[in-house]
Amino acid sequence: MDMDALMMRYADMQRNAAVRKNPSQKSHKRANAPTAEEKEAARQGYSYEQQMEADNKRRANPMEIWLNRYGTVDKDKIQDEAEENEKLHSISYLRQMRPEDRIDLHQMTRDEAWSALESFVAASVRRGYKKLLIIHGKGEHSHGSDPVLGPMVKSFIEQDKRLGLSGHPDRNHGGNGATWVIVR
């Protein structure tokens, strides 16, 4: 191909590209069209410039300007949150705190109790609870010689990685017929 053919081909490509461009991509707004704020000010009977002058004449407290710009830090709130967080990691505090949620497994079979515990623990973890009470009974009404739900609850707690320390509450809150557990 010689140079003239290349130049002709280039000129044709440029002409085709110019034709393909959409000429309607120009803005149809006037250069000095009023903004939404100016339209609102005109609708209310005063100009936008008059509103700006009125705003500029208003005296502002320098302290208020600084606080609006940089914000404040509530040191007391941060300290309280840190203390509460420290408490929730203290085992002695968690042992003494009241259970935040409870489930009663009475009259359930082993499989029903297991699935109920799975959904109960998942919901409690989602809600952010730290201590749960599982009421399983002492097993005095079990068919057969050994209790069914107490050992099943112990096994569940040992297998579930979301659960940690557990124990039995005092006699007034269920004794050996209930188990409290701390959520990790």
Side-chain angles (χ1 to χ4, degrees), residues 98-162:
R98 295 182 63 162
E100 296 171 297
D101 203 0
R102 66 187 69 227
I103 185 172
D104 191 347
L105 303 177
H106 279 106
Q107 305 299 321
M108 290 188 189
T109 65
R110 179 181 289 138
D111 294 334
E112 291 171 345
W114 190 277
S115 63
L117 274 175
E118 285 176 341
S119 61
F120 171 71
V121 169
S124 298
V125 167
R126 245 190 339 269
R127 291 183 185 123
Y129 294 154
K130 294 302 266 178
K131 189 172 182 180
L132 310 173
L133 182 66
I134 303 167
I135 302 168
H136 47 75
K138 295 179 181 174
E140 294 173 356
H141 303 291
S142 294
H143 302 294
S145 59
D146 293 331
V148 176
L149 295 179
M152 188 276 308
V153 167
K154 184 178 179 186
S155 170
F156 181 86
I157 292 170
E158 289 171 355
Q159 291 179 18
D160 196 327
K161 295 187 183 337
R162 299 170 292 187

Side-chain angles (χ1 to χ4, degrees), residues 9-179:
R9 189 170 178 193
Y10 177 74
D12 288 340
M13 286 174 43
Q14 291 296 320
R15 238 180 281 120
N16 290 339
V19 170
R20 270 188 265 143
K21 281 188 182 176
N22 189 355
S24 65
Q25 291 181 351
K26 291 189 266 180
S27 173
H28 295 291
K29 290 185 177 181
R30 293 179 303 173
N32 294 329
T35 63
E37 292 87 6
E38 292 171 334
K39 288 179 184 177
E40 179 65 24
R43 190 178 66 77
Q44 293 180 2
Y46 56 88
S47 70
Y48 186 67
E49 289 80 16
Q50 290 172 335
Q51 177 64 31
M52 287 180 58
E53 282 181 34
D55 287 346
N56 288 339
K57 288 179 183 175
R58 216 176 323 134
R59 302 287 279 156
N61 182 357
M63 181 64 78
E64 188 176 318
I65 293 172
W66 190 90
L67 289 173
N68 286 339
R69 181 177 295 158
Y70 298 108
T72 59
V73 176
D74 188 355
K75 293 180 182 176
D76 293 332
K77 182 179 177 184
I78 292 172
Q79 179 66 26
D80 291 344
E81 288 173 356
E83 288 174 2
E84 184 67 26
N85 193 21
E86 188 176 314
K87 264 194 219 176
L88 290 177
H89 286 79
S90 166
I91 293 176
S92 62
Y93 173 76
L94 289 172
R95 279 178 172 238
Q96 293 173 359
M97 81 182 269
R98 295 182 63 162
E100 296 171 297
D101 203 0
R102 66 187 69 227
I103 185 172
D104 191 347
L105 303 177
H106 279 106
Q107 305 299 321
M108 290 188 189
T109 65
R110 179 181 289 138
D111 294 334
E112 291 171 345
W114 190 277
S115 63
L117 274 175
E118 285 176 341
S119 61
F120 171 71
V121 169
S124 298
V125 167
R126 245 190 339 269
R127 291 183 185 123
Y129 294 154
K130 294 302 266 178
K131 189 172 182 180
L132 310 173
L133 182 66
I134 303 167
I135 302 168
H136 47 75
K138 295 179 181 174
E140 294 173 356
H141 303 291
S142 294
H143 302 294
S145 59
D146 293 331
V148 176
L149 295 179
M152 188 276 308
V153 167
K154 184 178 179 186
S155 170
F156 181 86
I157 292 170
E158 289 171 355
Q159 291 179 18
D160 196 327
K161 295 187 183 337
R162 299 170 292 187
L163 303 177
L165 189 64
S166 65
H168 296 291
D170 61 5
R171 289 180 57 142
N172 297 334
H173 295 100
N176 290 336
T179 302

